[in-house]
Every structure is written in C-alpha cells, then in structure tokens.
Amino acid sequence: MRRTALLASAALLTALLPLTAAATASGAADPPPVPVDRFEGEVPFAAQPAEGIFTWGGDADDPPALRLADRPDAPEGAKVLTGTYDISGYGGFTHDFAAGEPAHDWSAHRGIRFWWEGRNTGKKIAFEIKDGGANGEASELWTTSFTDDFTGWKQVEIPFGDFTYRTDYQPVGGIDHVLGLTAMWGYALTLPTGVQGSFAMDDVELYGRADQSLRASVTTGATVLPVKEGGTATLKIGVSTTGAAPLDEPVTVAYATGGGTAEPGKDYTSASGTLTFPAGTASGASRTVQVHTLKDKAAESAESIPVTLTVTGAKAPAETPQVVIDAHGLPYLDSRLPVKKRVADLLGRMSLAEKAGQMTQAERGAVGTGGDITAYGLGSLLSGGGSTPTPNTPAAWARMIDDFQLRTRATRLQIPLIYGVDAVHGHNNLVGATVMPHNIGIGATRDPALAERTGAVTAAEVRATGIPWDFAPCLCVSRDERWGRSYESFGEDPALVESMETVVQGLQGRADGKDLGRGDKVLATAKHFAGDGGTAYGSSTTGSYKIDQGVTRVTRQELEAVHLAPFATAVDRGVGTVMPSYSSLDVIGDGQGPVKMHARADMINGVLKGRMGFDGFVISDWNAIDQLPGDYGSHVRTSVNAGVDMMMVPYSYKDFTGTLTAEAGAGRITAKRIDDAVSRILTQKFRLGLFEHPYADTRGAAAIGSPAHRAVARRAAAESQVLLKNSGGLLPLKKSQKVYVAGSNADDIGNQTGGWTVTWQGAPGNTVPGTTVLQGMREAGGNVTWSKDASAPTGGYDVGVVVVGETPYAEGVGDVGNGHSLSLTAADQAAVDKVCAAMKCVVLIVSGRPQLIGDRLDGIDALVASWLPGTEGEGVADVLYGKRPFTGQLPVTWPRSEAQLPVNVGDTSYDPQYPYGWGLTTLTRVPDGGAAELRALGRAAAAAERTGSARTGRELVAEARLIVQRAAGQRITEALSKPFADADHLLLTGRYGKAVEKLAQAYRAA
C-alpha cells in the first residue's frame, strides 16, 4: 500500500515537472521520431493551398528539377527525393503543409533531421522552417545552413536552437520574431548558385525532446555599449521565453569583465557577480550590470571590455557583449581640421586588414545581426533589391542601420559604415515611400529642374531612414529597347541623359560636396561606367540573358560621344561615386577585344580618374568581379588594380578581405593603390559627416510619402506622359463624358511602378501605397466604368480608355527573348480590339519601353506612352482630363517592328513608327503659319543661340516642332522622321538655329 502511494506521488510529480526535469526524474528516453517527409509519394508535387512540394527561383531557369526516384540504398523506404539544378540567381524547393488544415506543433522536439547524399562540393545549403502566420507562404522564416562537405548519405541533425530569424526576406514582414514551434507550416531548402549540381534527400523527421533552453533565452540590451572615457556603461541582462510564458526553472547568469584591449585598474574597474531569475519570473524581466571606466589625459583609439556571461537554464546570448571606451583626442576625430588632413591622419593609423575592410561591402542579409562588421572591420553594407528590415517601415530601417553602425563602435578606430541602397526612382525599397516615374519617364519630361526636384525628394526620404548613399542615377544611354534595363535610362541620346543629370544635384546638393552632411542629401552614384546601354543583342553570356551584361562594340569616337560623355558631366557635377558596368567593352581598333569593364584599367584609372579628374570612389557592381577570368586572386588583383576602390561582394566578403590582404602582402597590389582606394572612401565618409553623426537623423521621416513629396511625383508623372496620336482632339477628356476603362494596367499599382519596387524584380498587384490610373481618373471626377478584360457591355459610352502594357521586370530578367517581348499580351490586344471597335478610344501603354502597336494604330484614336509613372496615378489623370497639358516627348525612338532594332536618333537609316522627340500637346495653341513662319523662327532661334538666350531658344524650337507635328499628323515618313529627331538632339546641345533648320526640312517632307 505504501509502495503504491509512493509510485502515485512520483507519477504526479513527474506530470507537474517541466519537460526536461520530468524526463530526468523518470529516466524517460527521447520520444520516437515524428516523420515529416518520407518521399514515398505520400506528399505530392503541388503548391498552396494544398499540401505539397514545389520549386521556385529568381527566373525561368532557376527552379530545380525534382523527382521521386527508386533507390536501393534509400536510408528509409524505397524512394528518395532527387533533383538537378543550375541556378544563376536563386532557387530551391519547399514543402508546405495544407493551408486549409491546422498548423503542426513541433514544440515537443529538439530539432529536425534528414538524410542528405553529399557531393563534397563545399557549398552551403540554406535550410529554413516556417513558423506561425496564416499558411506556409504567409509565415515567419527561420533559417540555418549545413555544408555539403561529405560524400554519400549522412543524417543531418539541426537543433531548433540553431535557427535564426531571417533578416533578408520575410513574406509577411515578420510576425513576432519568436520561434514558437507550435504552429509550423513546413520547410524549404535554398540550393547553391553558380554551379551545376544534383542532390538526393530522404526521411525528414523531428527528433529528440525539447528542453527549456529552446524556450528561454538570456538577452542583452545591446551587444556593443560605447561610453566616453570616464563614463559608466549600463548593461541590461534579461530573459525572454517563447509565448511570453514565465520561466519553468531558475536561470542564473554569471558575469565577469576582462579579456579585451582595455586594462582593468587603468582603464576601468573590474566587475563580476551572478544574477538569478527564479522559476516563475515573467518573460521580459531584466537586471542591470554597471561597468565604470577611468579617465586619463592620453589620446587613444577605442578600447574594449568584454563582459563574459555564463548562463545556466536558458540559451545564452549568441555574442559576448562588450563595453567600448570611445576613441578620443586623435586628429582624425577633430571636425575642425580639413578633410584631407583627417584622412591622412586616419590612414596612417590603419593596418592592412583595416584598409581591406574599408574596401569591402557586404549585403545586410549576409551579416545577420552584424558581428562580422566588427570582426572584419567592414566599411560598407548595402540592401539589394528587396532586402529590407521587418517591418518595412522608416523606423525599422533607421533602427536596423543604427544597430549595424553600432557594431563599428567596437572596432579600434571606430570608422563608420557607409550604407548604400538602390533608390532608383524614389526610396523604392521602402513601403510607403514616394515612388517616382522611372528614368525613361523623367527623360520624357525634358524638364531638368523637375528631375532635380525628384532627386531631392528621393534624397530626403532615403537619408531620413539612416541611409547616406544611393546607387543612382543610371547614366546609361539606351540604344536597344530589347534591353531589360532600358527604363533605367533617361533616353537614347547622350545629350538628353546629360541634361537630366541635374538629378545629381537633387541627390547630393552642391558640386563641391559641402551639402553632403545635411540630413536631406545623399551620396550619388553614376552608373554603369561605361557603355552598358550599348550592348549587342545576343552577346550576353549571363544565364538566359540576351543583351544585359553583354558586349558593347564601338569605335573610339562612338564611345566618347555616346557612352562616356554623360560621365564627364557627372564628374563635373561632383558625383561622389561611380559604378562600373557588368558589360564588356570592345573598342574597335584597340587590339584588346571584349574586356569586362571591371578589368579595364585604361577606362577606370585612365579615363575616369585620370582624364576626367574623378576624385570620388569606384564601387563595383553586385559580385561583378566573379565574372572576370582566372582564379579569385586574379579577380581581386585585376579589379583593384584597374581602379575599383570598394568591392560589392555581398556574401563573399570574408573571401574578399582575405584575398585582398594576401594579394597586397605578396606585392601584387601595391600599398600606394590600397591607400588611394581607402583615402577616396574615407573622404566621402568625412564629407557625409558620418564620423560626427553615424546614426540615423530621422527628423525628416515624417515627410516620407508626404503630400508635398507626392506632389512632385504627381507632376513628374504628368509631364512624362507622351501623346503620340490624338485624332479629332479626343484628348483631353471631359468630365461629362461616360468613360469605359479597361486593360490590365489600369488598376495595378505594381505594374504601374515596375521593377525595382520593394523587390528587385517588382511585382504586379497591390504592392505599395499609391493611386492607380483608374483611381486617379475617378478622383479627377470622371464618370468611369471599369472592366479589366472589357467583358462588361460596351454600349452607351462616349469614349473608352484602355490601359495596357508590361508587367514588372529588372535587369537581364527583362531582356526581350528571356520570357519577354515588345508585343502586347493576347488579353491586352483583345481589350484594345473590343473597346476600340465599339467607341472612340484612348490607349495608354504603361511600360518600360516602346510596345509594338502599329498593326492596331488605325483603330486607335488617341495613343499615349505612359511609361512607368510611379505611385501617383493622379498625374496621368491630370493630363487625361486637362488639368495639365500633355508636354512629354519621346526619350527613345518608337519602332515599327522588332526587326528595326536597334534604331536611334542619328542613324543613317531611320524610319520608325514615331521619331525620337515626338510628342503632341494639348491646351497649347499651335502657332499659325508654315514654311514662312519656320524661317522666321529659325532666324530668331539663331539669334538666341548667339546671345546665349537658352530659354528663348528652347521656346522657339518648341514652337517650330508643334508646327511640324500639326502638318505631319500621322503621316510619319523616313524623310520627316530623321530631321525631326535630329532637331531634338540639336536643341539639347544648344544649337537652336540648326534645330529649327532641321524642323523646316521635316516640314517640307510632311
């Protein structure tokens, strides 16, 4: 009887104990494994909302090919999952659980494991699990990786404690940042890029028994605590638990200072002790530890005081926190000294490793919470397209960058980071920012003052989130609209590109760099040096790209006149950085053949830095040095010696810093070259005021997406609209008219903003706050009926507006022939045909480049090139309803057929659908007269040219252009097109008299 009672009491005690304690008391073994995937066919190849395995990738050829294969050596069962891959961007596969059923509870287990057939590639393979949220595609991602450094089958075990919150991408912006394990939706693997490979996998299962260290963690308020010499640092030590539950067991934290570069007794007073958090302590509870520093009179670099924590009963912090006594009293820290002296003093104190760190730029997603910023002395971080904090808000951006910047305080010299981002049409990575028209639309405005204002708005919104550096503007001269980056160009004429470079002043302020320290200015980047817009179709060797990153083959004269001229202007405007192109340059007659721009010392050192006098620094493009021939040492040596000062090596920064140090140590890169590169980088950091103010100045954050900023974008959208045809004066519309609106791009903000919007490639749908064209028309007071596919009845309407065009893309992914074309989709064609057959119609083409519309042109009454107008669809409505006139002009030639391409102003044979510079107007009186009036305008324009009256000259040429367009109507012949396009080029180069002469020639051909 006593024995039975004792056993009952023990059983009750075991039930009440925490899981780990109960296991110990009872001696219970780990629970049996729980299968997740056996790959015997029980889980289909399918996607959400059904349960299934599916592949994904950056472009069409990136998703791996999967199958279930019979294998006699299968670790479990008869089949295994096998696959092949050849990934240029990113790719992998996912197993999602069914969205219509409850999520799975993994919280009772220690981790997840699976069998992997190693190929000994040495490559890391990312493994992530999906926690919480509505389903597998709306969950929180937690990631880790394993290395394929073995051969044959091996069971890979991953404790849940090894997973970290994914910082480079979250599908729903994150949920609670806690790995709860109680609502799991599956897992995913990301396969290696840049190599062809195959894999085999089997038997994914949950293993082991959970313990408190998976549910409880010790946290520190900060990993780095800077303090002025003589001050006191306060370290906050706390506990947190999954689901905010109280502690099941006590947690103790023993702490002790020591082991850093600061000396106890001389630089600080030692501190040690033990903190106890009893069982039942609430999640979030904290204690503090103080470290007192001592003051002396010596100037010193920064000194570190690690605070070692020994944790019992919970997961210890991933890093040892450290108090840092700030550097002080050194000349480079004296803001009263000239920048040149500060640079010289700092450079003289730096080791080779520290210099290598300054020449290195990593991706934010690669450095996690930022420990490697300190370890490798990194000089720069960037956010690639779509690499955003969670949540994607101004405050989160600023907080993230401040956290990264804090890591630099733990380095000896405390050199701040310079953080860069591709804000190519507004702060386009940030949800809620003002998104401008892409550059092709800005080029269509022919309004340099407006271009400068768009740059100023972009700079203010970028800097307000803590970012001092923008990888913009793109100064490419787009010579072939099949190029997937053509919308990043202001146009096909170098004179037009040069005229729009006022955007540099909008971004940076004055050319001497004295405005860079302001809270509303950023360092600009002229890209891509040089010739990226001139690559030949079919010359690319990058994946499935057709033209992007290909070869530009030109004479020396063409190179100078077309592709180098915009960079000379940028240098004159004081642009702070320049980015070389991925493309190769083949200068006819120089005997070198095609050479990658990152290897062209003659162009970077010789032309850019030498002849043009560029005194900023050169930043490489994303992993661009990997495209150079030879081994990695050769990549580094060649690019640095060619004049590249900072290397964008997003995920290979460790390899780069090590290789650069080795190459310099071996004398293959000189100390003089290293010092030149680092001096250029430090100069810009000093000019930006980063040494005095390294953290985000968020005072301007309230203006992000503000009405004032959106008003600039709205005006830019309006001025970018190019009216190509307007039979019978159909435009502007009247508010009294009943308007039937159709087409795929009328009500799609994602298509309207295009690529480089929140993510690299952009996406259709409701991706950002803004106003679509349809919403803009409604807000303008229009009497509008909407039918996307034109399926609604078409009777009883005065006019139809069909908004068609492209879906988003970026870079070579958007090359024509790589899944894209210049033709409207079948659905768009059907909408145009149906609406235009039923009523008078206006067709708006929302696209990054011209679309082939000639076969439907006769049935269209009014045609508008809307480009990619950004978030402010009201700007498009403003010109449609006559609040503002149509004033835009074609920044590129509009071809009749793809066979004509490339076709550009200045070509000997030139017979397009619409010539460069074409653009009808509304609300503006076209001058009376014909040939005689043109002769008079020509004389007046020549006089304006002689007297330097630029504004008068431009106005006179504009009047002559309107006369020619009225006379031509839609009868646009080669005899008219060539002089008409030439006139616009002459106008942009200030030759007003000659421009009118050309227009008179075009008039005679009309």
Side-chain angles (χ1 to χ4, degrees):
M1 185 173 174
R2 276 185 65 195
R3 184 170 179 274
T4 305
L6 183 62
L7 287 172
S9 298
L12 178 61
L13 178 63
T14 301
L16 294 175
L17 282 172
L19 187 58
T20 52
T24 302
S26 65
D30 284 350
V34 174
V36 177
D37 251 333
R38 299 182 60 238
F39 302 119
E40 299 298 310
E42 76 281 7
V43 177
F45 291 110
Q48 293 277 284
E51 178 169 11
I53 299 168
F54 61 93
T55 62
W56 38 265
D59 56 36
D61 65 345
D62 279 353
L66 303 182
R67 67 187 181 93
L68 298 176
D70 287 307
R71 287 278 295 266
D73 63 341
E76 189 277 337
K79 297 179 185 294
V80 300
L81 179 70
T82 66
T84 57
Y85 58 90
D86 184 4
I87 302 167
S88 57
Y90 63 91
F93 63 93
T94 290
H95 176 185
D96 275 354
F97 301 142
E101 297 179 12
H104 295 209
D105 186 346
W106 293 358
S107 62
H109 297 274
R110 177 174 177 77
I112 189 168
R113 66 189 181 194
F114 50 89
W115 289 90
W116 188 267
E117 187 178 32
R119 305 287 196 263
N120 202 23
T121 63
K123 297 286 187 179
K124 285 189 178 297
I125 299 165
F127 188 95
E128 68 188 21
I129 53 178
K130 303 184 171 199
D131 175 57
N135 55 61
E137 296 309 291
S139 58
E140 198 167 68
L141 304 182
W142 290 74
T143 188
T144 185
S145 66
F146 65 96
T147 303
D148 184 357
D149 57 0
F150 54 91
T151 302
W153 288 107
K154 176 182 177 182
Q155 191 172 48
V156 178
E157 288 194 348
I158 305 176
F160 289 131
D162 287 358
F163 286 90
T164 59
Y165 181 80
R166 185 170 170 180
T167 57
D168 58 335
Y169 169 72
Q170 286 291 341
V172 290
I175 301 169
D176 59 6
H177 298 210
V178 175
L179 181 57
L181 296 172
T182 58
M184 303 302 295
W185 291 104
Y187 65 88
L189 283 90
T190 302
L191 297 167
T193 60
V195 294
Q196 290 183 337
S198 63
F199 74 91
M201 183 182 188
D202 199 15
D203 192 26
V204 183
E205 62 184 17
L206 308 177
Y207 75 94
R209 184 183 300 276
D211 56 40
Q212 179 169 277
S213 66
L214 288 175
R215 301 192 300 275
S217 300
V218 168
T219 61
T220 56
T223 305
V224 179
L225 290 88
V227 61
K228 292 187 182 301
E229 187 185 53
T232 297
T234 300
L235 174 64
K236 181 180 177 182
I237 299 175
V239 290
S240 64
T241 62
T242 298
L247 291 178
D248 292 329
E249 302 173 45
V251 172
T252 61
V253 183
Y255 63 90
T257 56
T261 56
E263 294 184 36
K266 175 187 175 186
D267 298 312
Y268 70 98
T269 301
S270 297
S272 61
T274 300
L275 304 176
T276 301
F277 298 89
T281 299
S283 178
S286 64
R287 312 277 193 274
T288 58
V289 171
Q290 291 192 325
V291 178
H292 303 285
T293 68
L294 306 174
K295 190 173 180 63
D296 60 31
K297 295 182 179 180
E300 295 174 298
S301 56
E303 297 172 303
S304 63
I305 310 169
V307 183
T308 303
L309 305 179
T310 304
V311 177
T312 304
K315 185 177 181 180
E319 297 179 66
T320 298
Q322 53 183 321
V323 174
V324 177
I325 304 172
D326 284 335
H328 54 278
L330 302 173
Y332 76 87
L333 297 171
D334 187 350
S335 61
R336 297 167 298 180
L337 293 178
V339 167
K340 191 172 183 179
K341 287 189 175 182
R342 297 178 74 183
V343 169
D345 177 72
L346 178 52
L347 190 69
R349 299 175 186 277
M350 296 174 71
S351 67
L352 175 58
E354 287 167 328
K355 292 173 183 178
Q358 288 302 299
M359 294 173 67
T360 307
Q361 183 181 67
E363 219 287 330
R364 60 168 285 281
V367 299
T369 56
D372 279 354
I373 295 170
T374 305
Y376 292 88
L378 297 179
S380 182
L381 293 183
L382 84 151
S383 279
S387 179
T388 65
T390 302
N392 190 347
T393 64
W397 277 93
R399 185 168 55 250
M400 174 189 74
I401 291 166
D402 283 355
D403 287 347
F404 287 141
Q405 200 68 267
L406 183 62
R407 296 293 189 155
T408 67
R409 305 296 88 190
T411 62
R412 185 176 69 94
L413 297 169
Q414 297 186 314
I415 303 172
L417 290 168
I418 180 169
Y419 198 102
V421 66
D422 285 283
V424 299
H425 62 138
H427 194 357
N428 42 259
N429 274 308
L430 171 65
V431 173
T434 307
V435 179
M436 301 291 172
H438 270 292
N439 282 355
I440 194 168
I442 300 298
T445 70
R446 296 299 201 280
D447 190 338
L450 180 58
E452 183 172 349
R453 289 179 65 193
T454 65
V457 168
T458 299
E461 297 198 0
V462 169
R463 195 70 184 255
T465 57
I467 301 169
W469 184 13
D470 185 4
F471 302 133
C474 186
L475 302 184
C476 48
V477 182
S478 176
R479 306 293 282 180
D480 190 331
E481 278 60 63
R482 291 171 292 188
W483 187 33
R485 299 193 84 137
S486 58
Y487 63 76
E488 295 188 51
S489 171
F490 291 114
E492 69 186 33
D493 182 355
L496 174 58
V497 174
E498 289 179 72
S499 73
M500 293 293 112
E501 290 186 50
T502 50
V503 71
V504 173
Q505 263 56 66
L507 293 168
Q508 290 195 171
R510 288 173 291 178
D512 60 9
K514 290 184 178 179
D515 292 333
L516 285 172
R518 285 172 38 178
D520 63 348
K521 293 299 174 188
V522 295
L523 197 67
T525 306
K527 65 183 188 184
H528 303 90
F529 182 82
D532 56 334
T535 51
Y537 192 82
S539 65
S540 181
T541 56
T542 300
S544 57
Y545 293 5
K546 300 299 181 184
I547 186 169
D548 188 35
Q549 304 184 22
V551 178
T552 298
R553 191 167 193 265
V554 287
T555 64
R556 176 65 64 173
Q557 182 181 6
E558 289 171 324
L559 175 64
E560 295 284 349
V562 176
H563 299 292
L564 287 175
F567 289 93
T569 299
V571 171
D572 291 343
R573 288 186 171 276
V575 73
T577 62
V578 171
M579 181 183 291
S581 174
Y582 280 116
S583 58
S584 299
L585 180 62
D586 184 1
V587 181
I588 297 170
D590 75 352
Q592 296 189 62
V595 179
K596 285 284 185 181
M597 278 304 309
H598 282 73
R600 292 215 60 144
D602 60 329
M603 301 301 300
I604 300 174
N605 285 330
V607 174
L608 178 64
K609 292 181 175 179
R611 193 185 79 199
M612 292 182 183
F614 174 62
D615 63 359
F617 70 87
V618 176
I619 171 71
S620 86
D621 211 332
W622 179 284
N623 276 337
I625 65 170
D626 290 350
Q627 296 187 6
L628 302 182
D631 60 17
Y632 195 67
S634 175
H635 297 170
V636 172
R637 179 171 65 251
T638 300
S639 55
V640 171
N641 287 336
V644 183
D645 301 305
M646 180 185 285
M647 222 62 68
M648 188 186 293
V649 280
Y651 295 93
S652 55
Y653 56 91
K654 297 176 185 178
D655 291 338
F656 173 74
T657 54
T659 304
L660 175 60
T661 303
E663 290 292 312
R668 290 185 287 270
I669 300 173
T670 66
K672 181 179 180 181
R673 173 67 195 105
I674 297 285
D675 286 354
D676 172 61
V678 177
S679 295
R680 289 169 176 269
I681 294 163
L682 295 177
T683 296
Q684 299 300 348
K685 290 186 176 185
F686 280 118
R687 285 177 173 174
L688 286 161
L690 294 177
F691 281 82
E692 289 70 47
H693 305 289
Y695 301 114
D697 178 354
T698 60
R699 288 175 295 178
I704 294 172
S706 66
H709 284 185
R710 290 184 182 276
V712 174
R714 178 174 181 168
R715 178 172 176 178
E719 290 194 23
S720 72
Q721 303 299 292
V722 179
L723 183 57
L724 300 173
K725 181 180 181 180
N726 193 24
S727 297
L730 183 58
L731 292 174
L733 302 172
K734 301 177 179 62
K735 293 180 183 177
S736 60
Q737 291 174 310
K738 290 185 65 178
V739 181
Y740 185 101
V741 180
S744 60
N745 285 352
D747 196 36
D748 193 309
I749 197 80
N751 289 353
Q752 186 176 302
T753 50
W756 290 108
T757 306
V758 183
T759 59
W760 174 40
Q761 291 295 314
N766 189 24
T767 56
V768 289
T771 306
T772 65
V773 173
L774 175 66
Q775 291 168 334
M777 293 176 69
R778 285 174 171 159
E779 291 179 14
N783 183 359
V784 170
T785 296
W786 157 240
S787 177
K788 180 176 179 178
D789 60 358
S791 59
T794 55
Y797 293 94
D798 299 308
V799 62
V801 175
V802 191
V803 189
V804 295
E806 295 186 304
T807 55
Y809 54 80
E811 300 192 39
V813 175
D815 286 351
V816 168
N818 189 22
H820 296 267
S821 79
L822 296 180
S823 298
L824 300 180
T825 65
D828 278 350
Q829 292 177 18
V832 170
D833 292 346
K834 183 173 182 180
V835 175
C836 293
M839 63 194 83
K840 290 183 180 296
C841 73
V842 181
V843 173
L844 276 65
I845 299 180
V846 173
S847 64
R849 51 196 168 196
Q851 301 291 282
L852 302 175
I853 197 74
D855 58 343
R856 284 172 167 76
L857 196 53
D858 289 343
I860 297 171
D861 298 287
L863 179 64
V864 179
S866 285
W867 309 117
L868 298 168
T871 50
E872 309 313 301
E874 301 104 321
V876 180
D878 285 344
V879 293
L880 288 177
Y881 278 100
K883 184 175 182 178
R884 299 185 66 90
F886 275 95
T887 56
Q889 295 175 247
L890 283 180
V892 294
T893 299
W894 198 282
R896 294 186 188 275
S897 69
E898 190 174 331
Q900 280 189 314
L901 296 175
V903 57
N904 295 287
V905 56
D907 288 354
T908 303
S909 175
Y910 189 76
D911 185 22
Q913 192 81 60
Y914 293 103
Y916 168 78
W918 186 267
L920 307 177
T921 191
T922 54
L923 311 181
T924 303
R925 188 186 70 83
V926 179
D928 295 327
E933 179 66 15
L934 287 169
R935 285 194 293 272
L937 289 171
R939 289 191 294 271
E945 184 179 336
R946 288 193 299 273
T947 59
S949 303
R951 181 175 179 179
T952 300
R954 290 194 297 269
E955 290 174 348
L956 293 166
V957 176
E959 288 187 32
R961 183 173 60 84
L962 294 178
I963 291 172
V964 174
Q965 289 182 152
R966 178 183 60 190
Q970 292 291 298
R971 302 179 303 277
I972 301 173
T973 63
E974 182 174 9
L976 179 144
S977 292
K978 184 168 176 51
F980 186 96
D982 290 344
D984 202 62
H985 172 75
L986 291 165
L987 164 65
L988 289 164
T989 56
R991 290 173 286 176
Y992 309 121
K994 287 291 185 182
V996 177
E997 283 184 24
K998 285 289 185 181
L999 288 168
Q1001 180 184 339
Y1003 179 83
R1004 291 192 294 271

